Every structure is written in structure tokens, then in C-alpha cells.
Amino acid sequence: MVTIGDNIRKYRKKKNLTQKELGDIVKISNTYLSDMEIGRTNPSIKTLKRIAKGLEISYVDLLRDTEE
């Protein structure tokens, strides 16, 4: 099963961004971003949309439960 955190990590790495760099872009802490990526917490829809915008993708891509 692919999680939201897995997808955030995958798209962040595709953009060659660190957690800190993405966190700075979307105005969240890299600690919170790390917690999302490892599945400790899930983002709100509002935060998910900000992350997707920062990654220049649709937020729906972050919700997909399939591996590409």
C-alpha cells in the first residue's frame, strides 16, 4: 500500500528537493514534513494542497494508492 507520505517523498525527490527546501516553499516545518513522509501524521487537505502546489502537481497525485 502506497501512503500519502510515500507519495510526498517520491514527488519531492523527483524535484530534487530536501525536506527543508520543500518545507520552506510551502511554509511548514521540515519536522512536520518528515512526520508525514514516515506516516507518523497525515496532512489536512489544505496542507496537502499547499504541498502539491509546491511540487507543481495535482493534490490527487498525492492521494493515489498505486506505484508508478
Side-chain angles (χ1 to χ4, degrees), residues 14-28:
K14 277 186 179 182
K15 290 283 189 179
N16 293 314
L17 295 170
T18 66
Q19 289 176 340
K20 177 160 180 20
E21 289 168 334
L22 180 57
D24 289 345
I25 290 168
V26 299
K27 308 290 192 260
I28 60 174

Side-chain angles (χ1 to χ4, degrees), residues 26-28 45-55:
V26 299
K27 308 290 192 260
I28 60 174
I45 294 296
K46 182 179 178 180
T47 300
L48 189 69
K49 287 181 177 181
R50 285 181 21 218
I51 292 168
K53 185 175 180 181
L55 293 169

Side-chain angles (χ1 to χ4, degrees), residues 1-12 33-43 48 51 55 57 59-68:
M1 182 171 101
V2 177
T3 66
I4 291 170
D6 294 331
N7 286 332
I8 292 170
R9 182 182 305 108
K10 175 179 72 175
Y11 287 108
R12 176 179 59 78
L33 188 56
S34 174
D35 286 347
M36 283 185 267
E37 287 188 2
I38 62 174
R40 189 173 293 145
T41 189
N42 286 310
L48 189 69
I51 292 168
L55 293 169
I57 60 172
Y59 75 95
V60 175
D61 292 331
L62 296 176
L63 298 173
R64 294 192 196 283
D65 186 20
T66 56
E67 299 211 19
E68 295 179 357

